[in-house]
Amino acid sequence: MSTPAAPPLLALRGVSVRYGPISALQDIDLQIQQGELVALLGSNGAGKSTTLRAISRLVKPVAGLIEWRGRSLARTATERTVRLGIGHCPEGRRVLARQSVAVNLELGAYLRRDRRAIARDLQRCYERFPRLGERRSQPAGSLSGGEQQMLAIARSLMGRPRLLLLDEPSLGLAPLLVAEVMAILQQLHREGLTILLVEQNAHAALAIADRGVVLQAGSISLSGSAAELMAHPDLKDTYLGEGEPGDG
Amino acid sequence: MVHLLQILINGLASGAVYALFALGYTLVFSVLGVINFAHGAVFTIGGYLTYLLIGGAVGANGLLAGLQLPLALPFWLALGLAGAGSALVSLVVEAVAFRPLRKRQAEPLLSLISSLGAGVVLVNLVQLLMGAESYSIPSSTLAGLPAALNLGGAQIRTVQLLLLLVATLLLVLLTLWLEGSRGGKALQAVSEDPVTARLLGIDSGAMIRLAFAVSGFLAGVAGGLVGLSVSIAGPYFGIGYGLKGLGVLVLGGLGSVPGAVLGGLIVGLAEALVPSDFSGYKDGVAFAILFLVLLLRPRGLLGKPLASKV
């Protein structure tokens, strides 16, 4: 599955993050190979979003190293991580509510200068997400929650990332929409995109992931292939807190 | 008997200047969420720069007493250069009064105070260099244009028409730039959600500097235009306009570009409708309108509702 010779696309080595006096992540080790879909699981406050924020440099680790294709990101600004190929689709979707769907997508390609390729990607994006095509001139704030999630994912794709960080894309969506989002992620994965998927909905995430990593109070407590984790007897009760609602 | 058309043009002309002024506040407010209190000082500097560039001589009281630039540029060129100079001054204000506090993640209120300080320093600098006397930009610098036009029996000062035209042109260009260009859209993205903008690769620091530069340019041009149509009434002449601009900003709705324009025109027209016998009460009328509007619509005429948290 993975090619052991090449350096991993992304590697976290002993990463710790603090918010003032509160320790959010302790000594995280995590590697992602080109082409993988890795699910990062855990209950609320376990440090999943903080891990993504550390990778895209929105928070600076107090210890440890984050490497992108073998090179440290320690001196890279958030804006630069986008240029390197890290797309971060943030928690709560964060579409630009006052801007139209089309402008949101255009801004997803902000750093690209290849106008023709951008136009082609936009066309492909409207084919992949027909609802966005129908609503391209409407303000993004007027879309439904599911459509906003699709827009947030589509906007990240417009930047042509090599690694897509996705923060809880299923949050607040009805089961049918969760299944739809997961099907799209699975399709992107098949097309070769590397994905780090943060989810509370472990069942839905593991159904499409190659492997999973479970965070508990800021540390990795369990990891393994998706099949192993799915079969793990204590996954829900011990590691993720109570069973979660709305499994697709 | 003053003709209604004359009142209308005069009101629209000064309203357009207020709008330019308020747009400068709006641009900076939309990316930082803070009022830049040095804006009035930048307006003042724009007026003085225009005066110097058309070859005006400095009076007897400042350090630069008797200075006269060995060039007498046509008004339009001088105005454009003064705008560019004001944009630079505005960038310095950002670097000195805003950026250090932002780097330390200070309360936004603190940069409001530091910008007020920067404004006071700039005004005092102008006084030190140019003295406290007032200067006027002669309309003879508009070579070839008649002083007044006769429109349907109304005597309209050419200067007022030009003021209206230039301000309208700038407002249209600004709107086209904000809505249509890559940079304008990026600026709006920073204004709506700075974190998401960074995740899209937009350098928010660069966008903030851009907002300061554009707002400085608008203020400088407004200063030069007022210098031409009225006069440069000493180093403090920007302060009154600064307060009026703030009122216009709140009247139109904080952060709204069309709101700033609408607010400016309303205040300008209201002032022009005050009979000349009572012209001392102009400011009172302007702020009474502001008060009434805020009673009925606390977020201003075209203020945006808070971003939806869907």
Side-chain angles (χ1 to χ4, degrees), chain A residues 56-58 78-79 82 88 90 92-99 103 106-108 110-113 141 148 155, chain B residues 179 182-183 185-186 188-189 191-205 207 304-305 307-308 310:
Chain A
S56 55
R57 306 282 301 149
L58 286 170
T78 297
E79 301 88 275
V82 184
H88 184 162
R93 320 188 236 287
R94 312 278 293 248
V95 297
L96 299 167
R98 292 187 214 132
Q99 307 290 338
V103 169
E106 273 172 47
L107 285 171
Y110 178 73
L111 290 176
R112 295 171 54 190
R113 295 293 193 168
Q148 289 193 14
R155 184 177 64 184
Chain B
E179 299 297 330
R182 177 172 174 270
K185 287 172 192 165
Q188 293 195 55
S191 119
E192 186 169 339
D193 186 341
V195 174
T196 299
R198 293 178 69 195
L199 289 178
L200 298 175
I202 298 169
D203 181 347
S204 55
M207 286 301 138
K304 287 162 187 158
S308 60
V310 186

Side-chain angles (χ1 to χ4, degrees), chain B:
Chain B
M1 167 75 192
V2 187
H3 201 281
L4 188 64
L5 186 64
Q6 201 168 331
I7 292 177
L8 205 65
I9 300 274
N10 285 343
L12 287 176
S14 51
V17 172
Y18 293 148
L20 280 186
F21 209 104
L23 275 178
Y25 279 128
T26 295
L27 278 176
V28 170
F29 182 85
S30 68
V31 289
L32 285 184
V34 185
I35 303 283
N36 170 19
F37 269 113
H39 197 55
V42 176
F43 168 90
T44 305
I45 288 172
Y48 279 91
L49 283 177
T50 311
Y51 175 77
L52 286 174
L53 287 167
I54 59 161
V58 181
N61 292 318
L63 282 181
L64 298 178
L67 175 91
Q68 186 169 18
L69 293 182
L71 41 85
L73 298 177
F75 178 76
W76 299 114
L77 188 54
L79 188 67
L81 289 175
S86 305
L88 284 179
V89 173
S90 187
L91 283 172
V92 171
V93 168
E94 193 273 327
V96 172
F98 286 88
R99 203 181 310 160
L101 291 168
R102 198 166 65 243
K103 287 255 149 58
R104 291 170 179 77
Q105 297 178 335
E107 282 283 311
L109 188 63
L110 295 181
S111 39
L112 191 140
I113 301 300
S114 67
S115 73
L116 188 59
V120 171
V121 169
L122 286 175
V123 166
N124 279 307
L125 202 62
V126 169
Q127 180 159 11
L128 186 68
L129 294 174
M130 305 276 294
E133 58 259 64
S134 71
Y135 296 95
S136 63
I137 297 174
S139 49
S140 60
T141 50
L142 297 167
L145 289 174
L149 293 175
N150 195 325
L151 288 180
Q155 286 288 318
I156 313 286
R157 285 176 66 208
T158 317
V159 171
Q160 298 294 81
L161 278 179
L162 288 175
L163 206 75
L164 189 54
L165 280 178
V166 173
T168 309
L169 182 71
L170 285 176
L171 296 178
V172 169
L173 285 179
L174 183 73
T175 309
L176 288 179
W177 176 71
L178 273 176
E179 299 297 330
S181 76
R182 177 172 174 270
K185 287 172 192 165
L187 191 84
Q188 293 195 55
V190 172
S191 119
E192 186 169 339
D193 186 341
V195 174
T196 299
R198 293 178 69 195
L199 289 178
L200 298 175
I202 298 169
D203 181 347
S204 55
M207 286 301 138
I208 290 169
R209 288 192 288 282
L210 186 62
F212 270 91
V214 173
S215 95
F217 178 84
L218 295 178
V221 168
L225 288 173
V226 170
L228 176 71
S229 80
V230 193
S231 72
I232 302 168
Y236 292 90
F237 97 117
I239 289 179
Y241 280 90
L243 281 178
K244 206 70 69 64
L246 267 183
V248 164
L249 181 73
V250 176
L251 175 66
L254 279 172
S256 161
V257 169
V261 176
L262 184 66
L265 295 181
I266 289 177
V267 170
L269 281 175
E271 286 186 354
L273 288 170
V274 175
S276 52
D277 291 348
F278 300 97
S279 66
Y281 297 103
K282 271 183 179 178
D283 290 357
V285 170
F287 282 97
I289 290 176
L290 173 64
F291 180 72
L292 285 177
V293 168
L294 290 187
L295 273 184
L296 299 172
R297 249 185 102 77
R299 63 177 142 95
L301 291 171
L302 300 180
K304 287 162 187 158
L306 294 173
S308 60
K309 306 251 181 202
V310 186

